[in-house]
């Protein structure tokens, strides 16, 4: 009888002490926090990027690059961005590219020799006269592109909603194909240093 009571007493004591032991172990572990890894420490120390002034931000030049010759591409880009913000505020329930009328007609991407990079050089070399003519007609677009290559680029912050509109970069696609055509034409003419210079700038920008 006494032996049974002793077993019950010890069993009860162990069951009562177990939660206390677990709690003390948890408390001890939380008093010694692990140090963050160097990567986590770096991320926590990062700050939001400084906002670029609109007049120095190539983002507006790119989204407004289809401004008619003689008009300011950046001003068009700013107007387009303001329309995007207004679309956000209207919340009309359509997540679609926001367009701005009045842009200059651009060549169709499929009509540009270097719309496919894999056969770009061969296409231009086979008909350099057509490439030269197209580049002359689109000279003002390439001059705009050259002016912003290497410039600071940052999409401005805006408070977006689930179905916010977004900027259309459709105008940049033919301009990029034109730039690649220029590189291929220079290479086909043996002007490799100029071709590499343009290629390097385009690669860094993209």
């Amino acid at each position: 009888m006494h032996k049974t009571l002793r077993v019950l007493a010890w069993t009860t004591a162990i069951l009562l002490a177990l939660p206390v032991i677990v709690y003390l172990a948890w408390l001890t572990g939380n008093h010694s926090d692990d140090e963050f890894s160097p990567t986590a420490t770096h991320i926590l120390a990062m700050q939001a990027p400084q906002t670029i002034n609109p007049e120095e931000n190539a983002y507006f030049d790119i989204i407004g690059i289809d401004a008619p010759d003689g008009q300011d591409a950046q001003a068009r880009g700013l107007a387009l961005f303001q329309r995007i913000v207004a679309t956000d505020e209207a919340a009309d329930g359509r997540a679609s590219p926001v367009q701005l009328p009045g842009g200059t007609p651009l060549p169709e991407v499929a009509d540009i020799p270097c719309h496919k990079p894999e056969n770009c050089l061969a296409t231009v070399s086979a008909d350099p006269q057509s490439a030269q003519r197209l580049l002359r007609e689109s000279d003002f677009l390439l001059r705009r592109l050259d002016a912003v290559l290497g410039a600071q680029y940052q999409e401005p912050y805006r408070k977006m909603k689930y179905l916010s509109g977004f900027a259309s970069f459709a105008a940049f696609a033919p301009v990029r194909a034109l730039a690649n055509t220029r590189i291929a034409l220079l290479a086909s003419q043996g002007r490799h240093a100029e071709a590499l210079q343009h290629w390097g700038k385009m690669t860094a920008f993209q």
Side-chain angles (χ1 to χ4, degrees):
M1 182 66 178
H2 289 293
K3 185 177 181 180
T4 302
L5 289 174
R6 281 199 301 271
V7 171
L8 288 173
W10 276 105
T11 303
T12 302
I14 292 171
L15 291 174
L16 290 175
L18 188 59
V20 176
I21 294 171
V22 171
Y23 172 74
L24 290 174
W26 174 83
L27 192 63
T28 302
N30 276 274
H31 272 297
S32 57
D33 291 335
D34 295 333
E35 293 185 359
F36 289 120
S37 68
T39 302
T41 303
H42 174 70
I43 292 173
L44 291 172
M46 290 176 64
Q47 299 180 354
Q50 187 175 2
T51 302
I52 303 173
N53 292 329
E55 59 273 11
E56 299 174 352
N57 192 349
Y59 171 83
F60 299 110
D61 295 270
I62 292 302
I63 65 173
I65 201 166
D66 62 335
D69 191 11
Q71 293 188 17
D72 187 3
Q74 188 181 72
R76 178 173 172 80
L78 280 166
L80 175 56
F81 186 74
Q82 290 168 358
R83 175 171 288 206
I84 295 168
V85 173
T87 302
D88 289 346
E89 295 172 351
D92 59 1
R94 291 179 296 118
S96 58
V98 179
Q99 306 284 353
L100 191 66
T104 190
L106 299 175
E108 293 291 334
V109 176
D111 295 335
I112 300 174
C114 284
H115 68 281
K116 290 184 177 180
E118 60 270 19
N119 56 8
C120 175
L121 183 57
T123 303
V124 171
S125 298
D127 188 5
Q129 290 78 17
S130 295
Q132 289 174 331
R133 183 175 61 254
L134 183 61
L135 293 176
R136 281 196 302 270
E137 294 170 352
S138 308
D139 179 63
F140 75 98
L141 291 170
L142 290 173
R143 281 189 278 107
R144 282 179 182 165
L145 178 64
D146 291 340
V148 298
L149 291 180
Q152 298 183 88
Y153 180 100
Q154 181 186 65
E155 183 170 356
Y157 170 79
R158 58 193 173 102
K159 189 175 180 180
M160 300 179 68
K161 299 179 181 178
Y162 179 64
L163 291 176
S164 287
F166 54 93
S168 172
F169 283 85
F172 187 61
V175 177
R176 179 169 50 199
L178 287 168
N180 290 335
T181 300
R182 176 175 60 181
I183 293 170
L185 182 62
L186 290 170
S188 70
Q189 295 171 340
R191 299 159 64 182
H192 300 122
E194 293 177 69
L196 283 172
Q197 184 180 28
H198 283 293
W199 178 81
K201 290 180 179 179
M202 281 295 297
T203 303
F205 185 76
Q206 297 178 74

